[in-house]
Every structure is written in C-alpha cells, then in structure tokens.
Amino acid sequence: GFILYIGVYALMLVASFLLISIFPQSAENTAMTFDVLMKQPFALVVLVMTVMPAIGEELYFRGLIFGSLRHRYSAVWAIVISSVIFGVFHLSLVKIIPTGMLGACFAYVAYTSGSIYIGMFLHFFNNLVSAISMKYPQQIEKILPVLMREELLVSDILILLAVGIVCTAAGVKIMSGKKREVNR
C-alpha cells in the first residue's frame, strides 16, 4: 500500500503544480485557510489535520460510501465515484484532482486489502507530511526541496512522473492479489 501511495503522491504533486499554475487564486485561498491552524501548537495541528481526518474521512468515504457503492457497482466504478466525491468534498479547484487521486489510492487499498485501516494510516501519513511542510517549511525545503517549490523544473516533472508511474504500477501489482470486502 505504501509503494502505491508513493507513486500516487508523486503523480499528485505534478497534478497539483499544474492546477496551481492554472488557478493561483484558489491555491492562495486554500493556503489562507490553513494559516490560522498553523499558528497553533503542533500537537493540535496533528490532531485536527491528521488524526481526525484520517479516521473520520476513511470511515465515511472508504467505509460507508465506497462500501455501499461496492455492493451496487463494480469495484472500478465504486472507486471512481467515491474518489470523485472525496475530491469534491475538499472544496478547492487545486485540490479536487489530487485529492481524488489519493481517494482512488485509498479506495483501491481498502478494496484489495479488505480493510480501511491501511488507508487510515496512509491518510494520516499524507496529512502529516502536509502538516509538517506547512508548519516547518524551511526544514522540509532542506530535506525535500521539490515539496516547497512554487514552480517545478521540467526535470522535476519528469522525475516525479517516472517515480509516480513506476511506484503506482508496482503498488497495484503487489496489491492485486485476492480482493476482499471492506471491513466496516
């Protein structure tokens, strides 16, 4: 699941940067939303931005919505529909596609593993990386400068696409064993 997530995350970064270049005002509005939260103690940021969404959103989107759709439609359609709803739920032009991509990753993990707990961990990890990046941008820039760039170089895009495609394909291959129903 983690390998699949890394691949989707790399592809999501490319999509995010492209959408930010098209909708810069939406990116600014999204950033302003988090400004107040980032002034809070880091423990509160982790609770509000990582723990609560990882549990609540996974129970709702992968447990309830995906689980319900899975009984009515094929797995592919249940993943697509629940992921679109997940992307729209985040109410941002620059986040709708990247968040939908993550939703598809988490739904596929739930479908193939038969559990939403792996998705909860991946969701927590994803949001933790975002929280750390927003709270401590100078430190993250030293470790992973690509996360903090306002514009990507062509070489950055090509590397992210290559990593994204390889890791996503490897993750799908690894996880494509026996599929089980999602535990709720």
Side-chain angles (χ1 to χ4, degrees), residues 63-78:
L64 182 66
I65 293 177
F66 173 73
S68 297
L69 290 169
R70 182 65 191 102
H71 293 294
R72 186 160 236 220
Y73 303 102
S74 70
V76 171
W77 279 111

Side-chain angles (χ1 to χ4, degrees), residues 62 78-88 96 99-101 103-105 107:
R62 262 56 72 187
I79 290 170
V80 169
I81 294 167
S82 66
S83 300
V84 168
I85 294 168
F86 184 66
V88 170
I96 193 168
T99 306
M101 293 166 69
C105 173

Side-chain angles (χ1 to χ4, degrees), residues 49-69:
M49 198 173 155
T50 65
V51 175
M52 291 169 49
I55 295 169
E57 291 179 6
E58 289 310 304
L59 286 171
Y60 183 68
F61 288 101
R62 262 56 72 187
L64 182 66
I65 293 177
F66 173 73
S68 297
L69 290 169

Side-chain angles (χ1 to χ4, degrees), residues 120-162:
M120 279 183 188
F121 171 76
L122 294 173
H123 197 147
F124 167 80
F125 182 80
N126 178 76
N127 290 8
L128 183 63
V129 169
S130 295
I132 293 169
S133 298
M134 286 189 271
K135 187 78 171 169
Y136 306 106
Q138 293 83 13
Q139 291 84 346
I140 293 298
E141 188 167 20
K142 291 176 186 173
I143 300 167
L144 284 168
V146 72
L147 292 180
M148 304 314 296
R149 291 196 184 133
E150 293 197 19
E151 291 185 27
L152 289 179
L153 305 171
V154 172
S155 59
D156 295 332
I157 292 171
L158 293 175
I159 290 168
L160 287 169
L161 286 173

